[in-house]
Amino acid sequence: MDLIELRLLLAVAETGSVAAAAKETGYPRATLQRRLDELETRAGVPLLQRRRGGTDLTPAGQRLAEKAGPVIDQAKALLRSAAEFVPEGLPPLRLAVSAGVAPIILVDGYSAFRREFRDLRFELSIINAPSELSVDRVDMAFYFGEMHDDPRWVSGPLTQLRELLLASPAYLEERGKPTSLADLADHDLLSWVNPSASPDAWPTIDGETFAIKPNLVHTDVHVVRHLAAAGQGIALVPEADLADPAVGSDKLEPVLSDLVGRVVPVSYSVLRTLSDTPRIAALSKVMQAFASRI
C-alpha cells in the first residue's frame, strides 16, 4: 500500500465512480483501476463494489478511506517540514487567524515576524473557529477560543481578553445608558459569535448567562465593533489593549461593566510535524511574546 493508492481510493469515494476519479486525479482510467486492484489484493478484502452508473466503497473500503485522509495530510505536512531546513526552498507560511482580529493587531504581528525573519512569506487565511483548521491548508494559527483538541496539532494558550459590552457615546446619549440587565431589552444589541458560546446568551460577571434577542449576529469581531462605533447598538466583544485607529477606545464606552462580561482565551495551534522545526519553533516564541502585549 502507498499514499498514491490511498489518494485514488479517496477520489473514488468522493466522486462516486472510477471514471470520475480518473478525470479528477489525471490518471488514465486503466492505470487507476490497476492501482486499486493492487490495493484490494494487499488488503485481502473487497474495497469497491460496482453499481450501475458508478462505484461504491464496501464497508472495508469505507473504513480504509476514513483512516486514509489523516495519513495523507500528515505525509504532506512531513514533506513541508523537510523544506524548513533549506532556506532558499521555504514555502510560504500558511497562517490562519480568527475572523475579526483588528487590522492593527495583524499589522503589528506581521511587523514582529518580519523583524525576526526577513525571508518569510505568508499565506493568510481566516477561520471562524478552531474546528475549521485543516492540516492541508494551515501550518500555524492563532484564534479566539479554547485550545484545539486534535492530536495532529500542538496547541497552547497565548493570552486572555476581556469580553464586555461597548457602545458609542452618541448611541448612549440618544437611547440612554442601561443600568440593569432588564434595560437591555429596550436596546439594539450586536452579538459576536464566540466559538465557545451562543450569541443568543450573554455572560454575567458571576459566570451565569441571560437570554437576549440580538439585532445582528456576526462572526467578525471587527465588524461588530465598527457597527457599535457607528452608533448601531450595544456590542458584546473582546477588548484588547492595542487600540485600533478605526475604532479607538475613545469612540466606545463600557456598558454594565460590573454586571456583564467574561474572559475569552486566545490560543495557538501548530502542525505537530512542523512544531519542532527551527523556523516554526522560533516563530512560536515571537507569537507568544507579541500576544503577551495584547
Side-chain angles (χ1 to χ4, degrees):
M1 179 179 67
D2 60 27
L3 294 177
I4 292 177
E5 291 172 348
L6 291 178
R7 188 164 67 88
L8 296 179
L9 182 68
L10 284 175
V12 174
E14 292 169 356
T15 62
S17 77
V18 171
K23 183 177 180 180
E24 177 74 20
T25 61
Y27 276 79
R29 180 172 179 175
T31 301
L32 187 147
Q33 184 64 65
R34 175 176 58 79
R35 298 298 296 267
L36 292 175
D37 290 342
E38 292 171 354
L39 180 60
E40 279 191 322
T41 298
R42 279 191 288 276
V45 294
L47 301 176
L48 303 171
Q49 54 188 10
R50 280 68 180 176
R51 56 174 170 77
R52 186 174 183 178
T55 303
D56 292 328
L57 271 59
T58 65
Q62 292 173 1
R63 171 69 172 176
L64 186 57
E66 290 172 0
K67 298 298 182 181
V71 171
I72 292 172
D73 289 340
Q74 288 296 300
K76 292 177 180 177
L78 282 170
L79 290 175
R80 287 183 65 83
S81 71
E84 293 286 325
F85 295 90
V86 185
E88 61 271 19
L90 288 175
L93 177 74
R94 302 174 303 178
L95 180 66
V97 299
S98 279
V101 172
I104 187 62
I105 294 179
L106 291 179
V107 169
D108 283 2
Y110 177 74
S111 299
F113 281 165
R114 289 286 291 167
R115 281 194 296 270
E116 297 291 332
F117 309 98
R118 297 301 302 176
D119 65 332
L120 193 58
R121 295 177 295 141
F122 286 94
E123 289 180 2
L124 183 64
S125 60
I126 304 299
I127 58 173
N128 293 318
S131 59
E132 296 179 4
L133 288 178
S134 165
V135 298
D136 198 36
R137 296 191 297 272
V138 177
D139 299 322
M140 175 184 288
F142 66 93
Y143 47 85
F144 299 119
E146 299 291 345
M147 293 178 289
H148 189 39
D149 184 17
D150 187 318
R152 294 173 296 176
W153 299 85
V154 174
S155 301
L158 276 178
T159 189
Q160 293 182 328
L161 301 177
R162 185 187 175 197
E163 191 177 30
L164 72 168
L165 296 182
L166 297 172
S168 71
Y171 174 88
L172 296 175
E173 182 178 354
E174 177 184 352
R175 301 287 295 273
K177 193 167 187 177
T179 59
S180 68
L181 298 184
D183 289 347
L184 291 174
D186 298 323
H187 286 268
D188 296 330
L189 306 180
L190 311 171
S191 196
W192 164 61
V193 181
N194 184 322
S196 305
S198 167
D200 299 323
W202 279 0
T204 61
I205 293 296
D206 59 8
E208 301 295 326
T209 60
F210 61 98
I212 63 157
K213 292 182 178 180
N215 296 81
L216 177 134
V217 173
H218 204 295
T219 57
D220 191 319
V221 179
H222 194 58
V223 169
V224 176
R225 286 179 62 88
H226 265 287
L227 288 168
Q232 295 302 310
I234 299 173
L236 178 70
V237 290
E239 185 177 51
D241 290 337
L242 290 177
D244 183 347
V247 189
S249 58
D250 59 325
K251 297 182 180 179
L252 292 169
E253 291 185 7
V255 175
L256 299 177
S257 56
D258 58 336
L259 294 176
V260 180
R262 65 183 153 207
V263 170
V264 177
V266 180
S267 307
Y268 76 93
S269 292
V270 180
L271 275 177
R272 186 170 295 278
T273 49
L274 294 177
S275 61
D276 59 352
T277 59
R279 180 179 66 159
I280 296 297
L283 275 170
S284 296
K285 292 181 180 179
V286 173
M287 179 186 288
Q288 291 171 13
F290 172 74
S292 67
R293 300 192 293 110
I294 299 177

